[in-house]
Amino acid sequence: QVQLVESGGGLVQAGVSLRLSCAASGRTGSNSAMGWFRQAPGKEREFVATINRSSGSTYYANSVKGRFTISRDNAKNTVYLQMNSLKPEDTAVYYCAARRSIYFSGTENDYEYWGQGTQVTVSS
């Protein structure tokens, strides 16, 4: 089993930066892909970013491309989401997810493991 714990959320003003962390434990393969998704109030959960932990290859949703950066520290079994130039529309609960495959994916159903989520609120 895999456990994922997110941290780093909070209430911030528009334009500032925030970094989320996702610590993985349990039967995590260092090559497995991980991703970030988010769910805003009244909306479906949506893809944000994903990373292949072996190669470091990344893929982003168009809405965050150029502002958010996903990265990993395999020694710490941790994945990060650096969020810059935050906007009110980035307000959501952010979820970390992991899948057994090494291939990253922007599809929610491809991920077997999920964290509990961390709230990010951006005020205007």
Side-chain angles (χ1 to χ4, degrees), residues 50-94:
T50 181
I51 187 167
N52 178 313
R53 290 202 293 162
S54 177
S55 68
S57 298
T58 58
Y59 177 67
Y60 297 92
N62 288 335
S63 58
V64 305
K65 200 175 296 183
R67 298 189 299 123
F68 290 12
T69 302
I70 187 171
S71 62
R72 90 289 193 205
D73 183 335
N74 287 342
K76 295 183 178 180
N77 243 1
T78 299
V79 171
Y80 304 97
L81 185 68
Q82 177 67 42
M83 306 185 293
N84 298 331
S85 303
L86 282 163
K87 305 175 181 180
E89 50 264 43
D90 294 318
T91 294
V93 176
Y94 283 72

Short mmCIF file of all heavy atoms in Angstrom, two decimals, residues 50-94:
data_model
loop_
_atom_site.label_atom_id
_atom_site.label_comp_id
_atom_site.label_asym_id
_atom_site.label_seq_id
_atom_site.Cartn_x
_atom_site.Cartn_y
_atom_site.Cartn_z
N THR A 50 1.88 16.46 -13.91
CA THR A 50 2.34 15.11 -13.64
C THR A 50 3.82 15.00 -13.96
O THR A 50 4.35 15.79 -14.75
CB THR A 50 1.52 14.07 -14.43
OG1 THR A 50 1.99 12.76 -14.13
CG2 THR A 50 1.65 14.30 -15.93
N ILE A 51 4.48 14.02 -13.33
CA ILE A 51 5.91 13.84 -13.53
C ILE A 51 6.26 12.36 -13.54
O ILE A 51 5.71 11.57 -12.78
CB ILE A 51 6.71 14.59 -12.43
CG1 ILE A 51 8.21 14.55 -12.71
CG2 ILE A 51 6.41 14.00 -11.04
CD1 ILE A 51 9.00 15.52 -11.85
N ASN A 52 7.17 12.02 -14.43
CA ASN A 52 7.77 10.69 -14.44
C ASN A 52 8.97 10.79 -13.49
O ASN A 52 9.92 11.52 -13.77
CB ASN A 52 8.24 10.36 -15.86
CG ASN A 52 8.93 9.01 -15.95
OD1 ASN A 52 9.80 8.71 -15.12
ND2 ASN A 52 8.58 8.24 -16.94
N ARG A 53 8.90 10.09 -12.37
CA ARG A 53 9.93 10.26 -11.34
C ARG A 53 11.29 9.71 -11.75
O ARG A 53 12.31 10.08 -11.16
CB ARG A 53 9.47 9.64 -10.03
CG ARG A 53 8.34 10.42 -9.36
CD ARG A 53 8.28 10.15 -7.89
NE ARG A 53 7.88 8.77 -7.63
CZ ARG A 53 8.07 8.19 -6.45
NH1 ARG A 53 8.67 8.82 -5.47
NH2 ARG A 53 7.67 6.95 -6.27
N SER A 54 11.30 8.87 -12.74
CA SER A 54 12.58 8.32 -13.19
C SER A 54 13.29 9.30 -14.12
O SER A 54 14.44 9.67 -13.91
CB SER A 54 12.37 6.99 -13.89
OG SER A 54 13.60 6.49 -14.37
N SER A 55 12.58 9.74 -15.16
CA SER A 55 13.20 10.61 -16.16
C SER A 55 13.09 12.09 -15.82
O SER A 55 13.86 12.91 -16.31
CB SER A 55 12.55 10.38 -17.53
OG SER A 55 11.22 10.83 -17.52
N GLY A 56 12.11 12.42 -15.00
CA GLY A 56 11.86 13.83 -14.69
C GLY A 56 10.99 14.52 -15.71
O GLY A 56 10.73 15.72 -15.58
N SER A 57 10.52 13.78 -16.69
CA SER A 57 9.64 14.38 -17.70
C SER A 57 8.35 14.87 -17.04
O SER A 57 7.83 14.23 -16.13
CB SER A 57 9.31 13.36 -18.78
OG SER A 57 10.48 12.96 -19.44
N THR A 58 7.84 15.97 -17.53
CA THR A 58 6.66 16.58 -16.93
C THR A 58 5.63 16.93 -17.99
O THR A 58 5.94 17.03 -19.18
CB THR A 58 7.03 17.86 -16.18
OG1 THR A 58 7.66 18.78 -17.08
CG2 THR A 58 7.97 17.56 -15.02
N TYR A 59 4.41 17.14 -17.50
CA TYR A 59 3.30 17.52 -18.38
C TYR A 59 2.33 18.35 -17.55
O TYR A 59 2.08 18.02 -16.38
CB TYR A 59 2.63 16.26 -18.94
CG TYR A 59 1.41 16.53 -19.79
CD1 TYR A 59 1.54 17.17 -21.03
CD2 TYR A 59 0.15 16.13 -19.39
CE1 TYR A 59 0.43 17.41 -21.81
CE2 TYR A 59 -0.96 16.35 -20.18
CZ TYR A 59 -0.82 16.99 -21.39
OH TYR A 59 -1.90 17.23 -22.16
N TYR A 60 1.81 19.43 -18.16
CA TYR A 60 0.97 20.37 -17.41
C TYR A 60 -0.36 20.63 -18.11
O TYR A 60 -0.46 20.57 -19.33
CB TYR A 60 1.69 21.71 -17.26
CG TYR A 60 2.97 21.63 -16.48
CD1 TYR A 60 4.19 21.43 -17.12
CD2 TYR A 60 2.98 21.77 -15.10
CE1 TYR A 60 5.38 21.34 -16.41
CE2 TYR A 60 4.16 21.70 -14.38
CZ TYR A 60 5.36 21.48 -15.04
OH TYR A 60 6.53 21.41 -14.32
N ALA A 61 -1.33 20.98 -17.29
CA ALA A 61 -2.57 21.50 -17.84
C ALA A 61 -2.30 22.89 -18.41
O ALA A 61 -1.45 23.63 -17.89
CB ALA A 61 -3.63 21.59 -16.74
N ASN A 62 -3.02 23.24 -19.46
CA ASN A 62 -2.80 24.53 -20.09
C ASN A 62 -3.03 25.70 -19.12
O ASN A 62 -2.38 26.73 -19.22
CB ASN A 62 -3.72 24.69 -21.30
CG ASN A 62 -3.29 23.81 -22.47
OD1 ASN A 62 -2.12 23.46 -22.59
ND2 ASN A 62 -4.22 23.46 -23.32
N SER A 63 -3.95 25.50 -18.19
CA SER A 63 -4.31 26.58 -17.27
C SER A 63 -3.18 26.95 -16.31
O SER A 63 -3.20 28.04 -15.74
CB SER A 63 -5.55 26.19 -16.47
OG SER A 63 -5.31 24.99 -15.75
N VAL A 64 -2.20 26.06 -16.13
CA VAL A 64 -1.12 26.34 -15.18
C VAL A 64 0.25 26.38 -15.85
O VAL A 64 1.25 26.72 -15.20
CB VAL A 64 -1.10 25.30 -14.04
CG1 VAL A 64 -2.45 25.24 -13.36
CG2 VAL A 64 -0.66 23.93 -14.52
N LYS A 65 0.31 26.05 -17.11
CA LYS A 65 1.59 26.01 -17.83
C LYS A 65 2.26 27.36 -17.77
O LYS A 65 1.64 28.39 -18.03
CB LYS A 65 1.35 25.58 -19.27
CG LYS A 65 2.57 25.05 -19.98
CD LYS A 65 2.20 24.54 -21.36
CE LYS A 65 1.27 23.37 -21.30
NZ LYS A 65 0.94 22.82 -22.64
N GLY A 66 3.54 27.36 -17.41
CA GLY A 66 4.29 28.60 -17.29
C GLY A 66 4.22 29.23 -15.91
O GLY A 66 5.01 30.13 -15.60
N ARG A 67 3.29 28.79 -15.09
CA ARG A 67 3.17 29.33 -13.72
C ARG A 67 3.50 28.29 -12.66
O ARG A 67 4.06 28.62 -11.62
CB ARG A 67 1.74 29.84 -13.47
CG ARG A 67 1.31 30.97 -14.37
CD ARG A 67 -0.02 31.57 -13.91
NE ARG A 67 -1.10 30.58 -13.94
CZ ARG A 67 -1.84 30.26 -12.89
NH1 ARG A 67 -1.61 30.82 -11.72
NH2 ARG A 67 -2.80 29.37 -13.00
N PHE A 68 3.15 27.04 -12.92
CA PHE A 68 3.38 25.96 -11.96
C PHE A 68 4.52 25.07 -12.45
O PHE A 68 4.69 24.86 -13.66
CB PHE A 68 2.13 25.10 -11.80
CG PHE A 68 0.98 25.77 -11.10
CD1 PHE A 68 0.96 27.12 -10.85
CD2 PHE A 68 -0.12 25.01 -10.70
CE1 PHE A 68 -0.11 27.73 -10.19
CE2 PHE A 68 -1.19 25.59 -10.06
CZ PHE A 68 -1.19 26.95 -9.80
N THR A 69 5.25 24.53 -11.49
CA THR A 69 6.33 23.59 -11.82
C THR A 69 6.26 22.40 -10.88
O THR A 69 6.26 22.57 -9.66
CB THR A 69 7.71 24.25 -11.67
OG1 THR A 69 7.79 25.41 -12.51
CG2 THR A 69 8.82 23.28 -12.05
N ILE A 70 6.22 21.21 -11.46
CA ILE A 70 6.26 19.99 -10.67
C ILE A 70 7.68 19.46 -10.69
O ILE A 70 8.37 19.51 -11.71
CB ILE A 70 5.25 18.94 -11.22
CG1 ILE A 70 5.16 17.74 -10.29
CG2 ILE A 70 5.59 18.53 -12.64
CD1 ILE A 70 4.03 16.77 -10.65
N SER A 71 8.13 18.98 -9.53
CA SER A 71 9.48 18.45 -9.43
C SER A 71 9.48 17.32 -8.41
O SER A 71 8.49 17.11 -7.70
CB SER A 71 10.47 19.53 -9.03
OG SER A 71 10.14 20.06 -7.76
N ARG A 72 10.59 16.60 -8.35
CA ARG A 72 10.64 15.50 -7.39
C ARG A 72 12.02 15.41 -6.76
O ARG A 72 13.02 15.86 -7.32
CB ARG A 72 10.26 14.17 -8.07
CG ARG A 72 11.40 13.35 -8.70
CD ARG A 72 11.96 13.98 -9.94
NE ARG A 72 12.81 13.06 -10.71
CZ ARG A 72 13.77 13.43 -11.53
NH1 ARG A 72 14.01 14.73 -11.72
NH2 ARG A 72 14.49 12.54 -12.18
N ASP A 73 12.03 14.84 -5.55
CA ASP A 73 13.27 14.52 -4.85
C ASP A 73 13.14 13.05 -4.50
O ASP A 73 12.49 12.69 -3.51
CB ASP A 73 13.43 15.38 -3.60
CG ASP A 73 14.75 15.12 -2.89
OD1 ASP A 73 15.32 14.02 -3.04
OD2 ASP A 73 15.20 16.02 -2.17
N ASN A 74 13.70 12.19 -5.33
CA ASN A 74 13.52 10.76 -5.13
C ASN A 74 14.16 10.26 -3.84
O ASN A 74 13.69 9.30 -3.24
CB ASN A 74 14.08 9.99 -6.33
CG ASN A 74 13.20 10.14 -7.55
OD1 ASN A 74 12.03 10.53 -7.46
ND2 ASN A 74 13.75 9.86 -8.72
N ALA A 75 15.21 10.92 -3.40
CA ALA A 75 15.86 10.52 -2.15
C ALA A 75 14.91 10.71 -0.97
O ALA A 75 14.96 9.97 0.02
CB ALA A 75 17.13 11.31 -1.93
N LYS A 76 14.04 11.72 -1.08
CA LYS A 76 13.08 11.99 0.00
C LYS A 76 11.70 11.43 -0.32
O LYS A 76 10.77 11.60 0.47
CB LYS A 76 12.96 13.50 0.21
CG LYS A 76 14.23 14.16 0.71
CD LYS A 76 14.02 15.65 0.96
CE LYS A 76 15.28 16.30 1.51
NZ LYS A 76 15.09 17.76 1.74
N ASN A 77 11.57 10.79 -1.47
CA ASN A 77 10.27 10.24 -1.88
C ASN A 77 9.18 11.32 -1.85
O ASN A 77 8.06 11.09 -1.36
CB ASN A 77 9.87 9.09 -0.97
CG ASN A 77 9.75 7.78 -1.75
OD1 ASN A 77 9.99 7.74 -2.95
ND2 ASN A 77 9.39 6.73 -1.05
N THR A 78 9.54 12.48 -2.34
CA THR A 78 8.66 13.64 -2.26
C THR A 78 8.53 14.31 -3.63
O THR A 78 9.52 14.42 -4.37
CB THR A 78 9.19 14.65 -1.23
OG1 THR A 78 9.24 14.03 0.06
CG2 THR A 78 8.28 15.87 -1.15
N VAL A 79 7.32 14.74 -3.91
CA VAL A 79 7.04 15.49 -5.13
C VAL A 79 6.53 16.87 -4.72
O VAL A 79 5.80 17.00 -3.73
CB VAL A 79 6.00 14.77 -6.00
CG1 VAL A 79 5.55 15.64 -7.15
CG2 VAL A 79 6.59 13.48 -6.54
N TYR A 80 6.93 17.88 -5.48
CA TYR A 80 6.57 19.26 -5.15
C TYR A 80 5.76 19.88 -6.28
O TYR A 80 5.88 19.48 -7.44
CB TYR A 80 7.84 20.09 -4.94
CG TYR A 80 8.76 19.54 -3.89
CD1 TYR A 80 9.86 18.75 -4.25
CD2 TYR A 80 8.55 19.78 -2.54
CE1 TYR A 80 10.71 18.23 -3.30
CE2 TYR A 80 9.40 19.26 -1.58
CZ TYR A 80 10.48 18.49 -1.97
OH TYR A 80 11.33 17.97 -1.02
N LEU A 81 4.98 20.86 -5.91
CA LEU A 81 4.29 21.69 -6.90
C LEU A 81 4.56 23.14 -6.53
O LEU A 81 4.00 23.64 -5.55
CB LEU A 81 2.79 21.41 -6.93
CG LEU A 81 2.04 22.16 -8.03
CD1 LEU A 81 2.44 21.64 -9.42
CD2 LEU A 81 0.53 22.02 -7.84
N GLN A 82 5.44 23.77 -7.29
CA GLN A 82 5.72 25.18 -7.09
C GLN A 82 4.70 25.98 -7.88
O GLN A 82 4.61 25.83 -9.10
CB GLN A 82 7.13 25.51 -7.57
CG GLN A 82 7.51 26.97 -7.46
CD GLN A 82 7.61 27.46 -6.04
OE1 GLN A 82 8.14 26.77 -5.17
NE2 GLN A 82 7.08 28.65 -5.77
N MET A 83 3.94 26.81 -7.19
CA MET A 83 2.88 27.58 -7.82
C MET A 83 3.22 29.06 -7.74
O MET A 83 3.30 29.62 -6.64
CB MET A 83 1.54 27.30 -7.14
CG MET A 83 1.20 25.81 -7.07
SD MET A 83 -0.43 25.48 -6.39
CE MET A 83 -0.20 26.03 -4.71
N ASN A 84 3.45 29.68 -8.88
CA ASN A 84 3.78 31.10 -8.94
C ASN A 84 2.63 31.88 -9.56
O ASN A 84 1.78 31.32 -10.25
CB ASN A 84 5.05 31.30 -9.77
CG ASN A 84 6.26 30.62 -9.16
OD1 ASN A 84 6.36 30.45 -7.95
ND2 ASN A 84 7.21 30.23 -10.01
N SER A 85 2.63 33.17 -9.32
CA SER A 85 1.62 34.06 -9.90
C SER A 85 0.22 33.50 -9.70
O SER A 85 -0.58 33.39 -10.63
CB SER A 85 1.88 34.26 -11.40
OG SER A 85 3.17 34.77 -11.61
N LEU A 86 -0.07 33.16 -8.47
CA LEU A 86 -1.36 32.55 -8.17
C LEU A 86 -2.52 33.48 -8.47
O LEU A 86 -2.43 34.71 -8.28
CB LEU A 86 -1.40 32.10 -6.71
CG LEU A 86 -0.65 30.79 -6.43
CD1 LEU A 86 -0.39 30.62 -4.95
CD2 LEU A 86 -1.44 29.61 -6.98
N LYS A 87 -3.62 32.89 -8.91
CA LYS A 87 -4.83 33.63 -9.26
C LYS A 87 -5.99 33.11 -8.41
O LYS A 87 -5.96 31.96 -7.96
CB LYS A 87 -5.17 33.41 -10.74
CG LYS A 87 -4.05 33.74 -11.70
CD LYS A 87 -4.44 33.37 -13.12
CE LYS A 87 -3.32 33.67 -14.10
NZ LYS A 87 -3.70 33.30 -15.49
N PRO A 88 -7.01 33.92 -8.24
CA PRO A 88 -8.18 33.45 -7.48
C PRO A 88 -8.77 32.15 -8.05
O PRO A 88 -9.25 31.30 -7.29
CB PRO A 88 -9.17 34.61 -7.59
CG PRO A 88 -8.29 35.81 -7.71
CD PRO A 88 -7.13 35.35 -8.55
N GLU A 89 -8.69 31.98 -9.35
CA GLU A 89 -9.24 30.76 -9.95
C GLU A 89 -8.39 29.52 -9.68
O GLU A 89 -8.77 28.41 -10.04
CB GLU A 89 -9.41 30.92 -11.47
CG GLU A 89 -8.20 31.46 -12.19
CD GLU A 89 -8.26 32.98 -12.40
OE1 GLU A 89 -8.66 33.70 -11.44
OE2 GLU A 89 -7.91 33.43 -13.51
N ASP A 90 -7.24 29.69 -9.04
CA ASP A 90 -6.45 28.55 -8.59
C ASP A 90 -6.94 28.00 -7.25
O ASP A 90 -6.43 26.96 -6.79
CB ASP A 90 -4.97 28.93 -8.46
CG ASP A 90 -4.33 29.27 -9.78
OD1 ASP A 90 -4.58 28.56 -10.78
OD2 ASP A 90 -3.55 30.25 -9.81
N THR A 91 -7.90 28.68 -6.65
CA THR A 91 -8.45 28.22 -5.38
C THR A 91 -9.09 26.85 -5.55
O THR A 91 -9.95 26.65 -6.40
CB THR A 91 -9.49 29.22 -4.86
OG1 THR A 91 -8.83 30.45 -4.55
CG2 THR A 91 -10.20 28.69 -3.63
N ALA A 92 -8.64 25.91 -4.71
CA ALA A 92 -9.12 24.53 -4.82
C ALA A 92 -8.47 23.69 -3.73
O ALA A 92 -7.53 24.14 -3.07
CB ALA A 92 -8.78 23.94 -6.18
N VAL A 93 -8.98 22.49 -3.58
CA VAL A 93 -8.27 21.48 -2.80
C VAL A 93 -7.34 20.77 -3.78
O VAL A 93 -7.78 20.29 -4.82
CB VAL A 93 -9.23 20.47 -2.16
CG1 VAL A 93 -8.44 19.38 -1.43
CG2 VAL A 93 -10.18 21.19 -1.19
N TYR A 94 -6.07 20.72 -3.42
CA TYR A 94 -5.07 20.10 -4.28
C TYR A 94 -4.73 18.70 -3.77
O TYR A 94 -4.43 18.53 -2.58
CB TYR A 94 -3.80 20.97 -4.33
CG TYR A 94 -3.98 22.17 -5.22
CD1 TYR A 94 -4.79 23.24 -4.84
CD2 TYR A 94 -3.35 22.23 -6.46
CE1 TYR A 94 -4.97 24.33 -5.67
CE2 TYR A 94 -3.52 23.33 -7.30
CZ TYR A 94 -4.34 24.37 -6.90
OH TYR A 94 -4.51 25.45 -7.74
#
